[in-house]
Amino acid sequence: MGLKAGIVGLPNVGKSTLFNAITKKHILAANYPFATIDPNVGVVTVPDSRLDFLEDLYVPKRTVPTSFEFTDIAGLVKGASKGEGLGNKFLAHIREVDAIVEVVRCFDDDNVIHVSGGVNPVDDMDVINVELILADLEIVENRIGKIEKKAVTTKDKDSLLELDVLKKCQEALINNKPIRQLSFSEDESVVLKNFNFITAKPIIYVANVGEDDVVLGENEYTKKVYEYAANEEASVIVMCAKMESELAELEESDKKNFLNDLGISSSGLDKLIFATYNLLGLETFFTVGPDECRAWTFKKGTIAKKAAGLIHSDIERGFIKAEIMKFPDLEDLKDEKKVQEAGKLYLEGKDYVMQDGDIVYFRFNV
């Protein structure tokens, strides 16, 4: 689907270390071809125990997990919205992502210099978020300057709607409020999409802690990150990027043993992948058989005909019906025939809204 999350942060917060963990993870991902799109983009597979179950049940020739992209975006410094540092490059790249993963330093280390001279996660988050707000505000005010007179004079319906949306955004941004915290009607949302505002993108914070704080899961710094994120109803993942980078080099069994010894159920990286997947509004359906078991990513609310097009445009064009099993039913009965005999094989039309965990066979004719 081409969806991607952008990893942002100030220098020396662990952003690149986290990205290295992601790229190492996808090299080791079973049955997934290694593909580096460019030096700062990594494809990450989404861990899914349901796919593991289907693989054991069908014993296919190959198994393909679902995936999405993480992009390591050039570092940001104060003044980026005015072109300081790599500001222009940073802002151009971040506009291309669908969600933001903001890495915040929550560890002390005299050997790692902090760009501001001391560890202060709230200040760090403010620096980045204010720069993003200023970048959006510049676009908003430039556009208002171009269309306001015409909109008011001509009373053109579309121009007036655009002006209203922009002024709504302007007021929020001036008050240091990101656009994602605003509510928009369907028509307003269509206008908003034309601008690709950075602060309209969903965000998740990664509190990067030292190895000693991993088991505890918090410290004095992470508490401040949680408080900050709560004000904008954003999620927080606490993890140690350094440890995740080391874990990513281990075989899966060794990794599980290491985490078990620490009393941790899943790695921080896996938690981040799940959280980002949900943040992007993504869900998964499956296609199964002796040749291939595959997980497919779709946006929540996708109808069956459009989901068929994710596999091939011909299937969408010639769509007839979708045969659907619910994963819990197959997991319980462990046999397709038994699912059918139990009356739990459903035949759905083109407007059926796909559900997470659907196991689908698309009937089509072209």
Side-chain angles (χ1 to χ4, degrees):
M1 293 182 67
L3 292 169
K4 64 175 68 173
I7 304 174
V8 305
L10 295 174
N12 297 335
V13 298
K15 180 171 62 72
S16 295
T17 305
L18 173 60
F19 181 74
N20 288 340
I22 288 169
T23 54
K24 288 174 186 174
K25 180 180 176 66
H26 97 261
I27 292 172
L28 296 172
N31 300 316
Y32 193 85
F34 173 73
T36 301
I37 299 171
D38 61 52
N40 71 328
V41 178
V43 178
V44 65
T45 57
V46 181
D48 197 324
S49 60
R50 297 173 299 182
L51 188 61
D52 296 335
F53 171 86
L54 295 172
E55 183 178 26
D56 290 340
L57 184 65
Y58 287 90
V59 194
K61 294 177 182 176
R62 69 171 186 161
T63 301
V64 183
T66 190
S67 64
F68 61 92
E69 295 177 9
F70 275 101
T71 302
D72 184 20
I73 293 173
L76 177 144
V77 295
K78 192 171 184 178
S81 60
K82 302 299 181 184
E84 293 294 327
L86 294 173
N88 293 330
K89 182 179 180 182
F90 171 92
L91 296 170
H93 284 172
I94 201 171
R95 289 195 190 281
E96 296 172 3
V97 305
D98 302 286
I100 299 169
V101 176
E102 186 170 324
V103 183
V104 186
R105 178 169 169 175
C106 292
F107 64 90
D108 290 310
D109 188 337
D110 293 338
N111 295 317
V112 181
I113 298 171
H114 189 282
V115 68
S116 301
V119 180
N120 189 324
V122 172
D123 282 355
D124 291 357
M125 289 185 285
D126 275 340
V127 166
I128 290 180
N129 295 343
V130 166
E131 292 301 330
L132 302 185
I133 283 172
L134 289 173
D136 279 349
L137 184 60
E138 182 178 9
I139 290 175
V140 167
E141 293 184 336
N142 285 343
R143 183 61 181 167
I144 287 175
K146 289 180 180 178
I147 70 163
E148 186 169 24
K149 185 176 180 180
K150 177 186 174 183
V152 173
T153 303
T154 65
K155 305 294 183 184
D156 177 71
K157 183 180 177 181
D158 292 338
S159 296
L160 286 171
L161 175 62
E162 182 181 350
L163 183 61
D164 285 344
V165 171
L166 290 170
K167 287 199 169 183
K168 186 175 180 178
C169 293
Q170 182 187 39
E171 182 180 1
L173 294 168
I174 286 174
N175 288 292
N176 208 32
K177 186 176 183 179
I179 293 171
R180 62 178 161 272
Q181 292 185 30
L182 302 178
S183 297
F184 296 94
S185 68
E186 190 173 333
D187 288 341
E188 288 175 330
S189 295
V190 171
V191 173
L192 196 67
K193 284 182 180 178
N194 295 327
F195 294 95
N196 202 16
F197 288 125
I198 299 173
T199 66
K201 302 177 188 297
I203 191 168
I204 189 168
Y205 292 97
V206 171
N208 185 21
V209 300
E211 293 176 88
D212 293 341
D213 293 321
V214 171
V215 177
L216 185 61
E218 66 174 22
N219 59 28
E220 60 177 304
Y221 299 129
T222 63
K223 291 175 184 177
K224 294 177 181 178
V225 175
Y226 274 112
E227 290 173 7
Y228 188 102
N231 290 328
E232 51 181 275
E233 299 181 354
S235 297
V236 177
I237 300 294
V238 177
M239 61 191 291
C240 174
K242 181 181 177 183
M243 190 178 82
E244 294 297 330
S245 184
E246 294 167 354
L247 278 173
E249 303 216 28
L250 300 177
E251 295 292 337
E252 195 63 28
S253 58
D254 293 334
K255 173 183 161 183
K256 287 180 180 178
N257 290 334
F258 181 83
L259 292 173
N260 286 336
D261 289 343
L262 291 176
I264 300 173
S265 58
S266 59
S267 72
L269 185 53
D270 285 349
K271 290 176 184 176
L272 175 61
I273 293 168
F274 282 128
T276 308
Y277 196 71
N278 290 328
L279 190 68
L280 288 167
L282 305 179
E283 292 183 329
T284 304
F285 74 83
F286 303 96
T287 52
V288 296
D291 289 329
E292 178 184 88
C293 284
R294 183 165 186 157
W296 300 86
T297 298
F298 67 95
K299 275 275 193 182
K300 291 179 183 179
T302 298
I303 60 173
K305 186 176 180 179
K306 291 294 182 183
L310 296 174
I311 299 175
H312 199 285
S313 57
D314 285 348
I315 303 178
E316 179 180 1
R317 185 160 51 89
F319 181 94
I320 300 173
K321 292 286 183 181
E323 293 181 7
I324 293 179
M325 293 184 288
K326 301 298 182 181
F327 178 81
D329 294 332
L330 183 60
E331 184 181 35
D332 180 42
L333 298 170
K334 297 178 175 58
D335 184 273
E336 278 191 29
K337 189 175 181 180
K338 289 181 180 178
V339 172
Q340 186 173 7
E341 290 171 349
K344 295 183 176 181
L345 178 64
Y346 306 100
L347 204 58
E348 302 288 356
K350 64 180 181 179
D351 293 326
Y352 166 76
V353 179
M354 298 293 293
Q355 302 296 310
D356 185 56
D358 280 350
I359 301 167
V360 192
Y361 172 75
F362 291 108
R363 295 183 187 177
F364 70 102
N365 184 32
V366 290

